[in-house]
Amino acid sequence: MIVVLKQGIQQEKIDQLKSWLTERGVDVQPIYGTEKTVLGLVGDTSHLTVDEVGMHEAVEKVLKVQEPFKKANRKFHPENTVIKVGNVLVGEKDLVVIAGPCSVESEDQIMQIAQQVKNSGAAMLRGGAFKPRTSPYAFQGLRAEGLMLLKRAGEAVGLPIVSEITNPNYIEIFNEYVDLIQVGARNMQNFELLKELGRIRKPILLKRGFANTLEEMLMACEYIMSEGNQNVILCERGIRTHETYTRNTLDLSAVPALKRMSHLPVLVDPSHGTGLAWMVEPLSKAAIAVGADGLIIEVHNNPIKALSDGPQSITPAEFSYIMPKLREYARLEGKSIPIPHAVAYAGTPGSFCNEAAEKLFPDSALTGLERFEDVFEAVAAKRIDAGVVPFENTLCGKVSEVLDLLDRYNLVIADRIKLKIQQNLVAPPGTEIKSIRKIYSKDKALEQCKNFLETMPDCRIIPYSTTSAAAAAVAALNDKCSAAIASEAAARLNRLVVLKAGIQDCEENYTEFIVVKAKE
Ligand code: PEP
Ligand code: MN
């Protein structure tokens, strides 16, 4: 701390100030300039505030040169801190993805989601049991019962669990049942709660308050750490700004800032940070790029019916598509996201090959690869367990490229499935067929649906690269006059509804897909 003295102040006042400071255990070192005198305060000044020093008559200005947070400060602890939650290390090379519903709603719901997010590579399971809702009339959570269900689900799939505490009275049960105790945005400055959490040793996930500065967040962290608990993970979850398009403004600059200020791991919550399910993917990628140690993402099996935060929740299927993409971003940052038992299929999400892979491997993480050869290569190199590629179509015969690849790579055909190639007219919910003016699809699919398209003479036909890209474009337009011709899987993935199913001219069109695996 540096104290600038008033010009021409009496020596007596200066001496009074000096002895007041010395009594408080700081060493006072005066520096005499031609016009001004300043006092340099050496030693631990963390217990002095700028305001109380500034009250002395001799003082013109007080400057802080040291941050008020100590335990969380990187200056006193240059190495990154790694925090162990169950058997998961947060702040290490693996990027930690926490996933699960905003609230635990029922045993079925949490069991199902737990298995699905685990299969896609989540490292921990989240679920709110005590919900700090803005309205007292909104769902408040299943409370202790919710915690038990979360615990059971976590144990069933082998994932540590994360849940939010709202009151110091519950510390005992949280300490017993929860692996990572979350302090939510609304409680970031609940100092009594923070102090109590400082007295246990359970890791704490401290989320940033939506109107708090980073320094305030680190001071909140200091409340926990100064009581003894050093296991704190920080989390940026968006702050309130004048922008209303998103629920909050996700302050991604907080990540490099916090990593510079502190040695603690930093996570990002793109779900609360934006309030919009479709923004979770791009902002998760951005969070990885700015150096986050992990993500906490809300995943719900039926977002429309969710009892809290449905609009920002992604589905387990969406989560499984996002994870392999996030793994690529993590790789760019020299980090990794381990994804168990991945299966690759040729094509994009929502393609028929994707549908075949989903039917063959309902519980696995699926990755779409662009070319047939990419799939063969990944299986041969054992980067994934199995690959799914098309083998034969009723109208077009065998896929010659796949036959060649089967020859070239030494893989075995482990399974096969026949899918009826059914094209559908798909559009955002609420769209009526009579209001459609534009139809997007891949040229082949448009060709297969000639008879149907003749019944829609007022529509402009817009060729697109793939049927699933057409479905994604229609979802983004959301204008109630655009539709796509695509598979049912593409509709589901893009949250579209099927307006008319089976619109292809030829009923008898099947494709057989095969599963290729490396030889034992
Ligand atoms: C939550 O995680 O469900 C939650 C309420 O988060 P936040 O405190 O960031 O709003
Ligand atoms: Mn929530």
Side-chain angles (χ1 to χ4, degrees), residues 102-103 126 131 247 272 298 308-309 312:
C102 179
S103 304
R126 65 151 286 155
K131 295 303 298 178
R247 181 180 181 189
H272 293 87
E298 286 190 343
S308 60
D309 288 350
Q312 69 196 32

Side-chain angles (χ1 to χ4, degrees), residues 102 126 131-132 164 182-186 207-208 210 237 247 269 272 296 298 309:
C102 179
R126 65 151 286 155
K131 295 303 298 178
E164 176 172 355
Q182 174 176 322
V183 175
R186 290 158 192 80
K207 295 183 101 179
R208 180 181 183 181
F210 32 62
R237 49 77 71 207
R247 181 180 181 189
D269 176 346
H272 293 87
I296 176 162
E298 286 190 343
D309 288 350

Side-chain angles (χ1 to χ4, degrees), residues 497-508:
V497 293
V498 173
L499 297 185
K500 203 162 171 32
I503 57 169
Q504 71 282 2
D505 301 345
C506 176
E507 262 308 305
E508 293 309 300

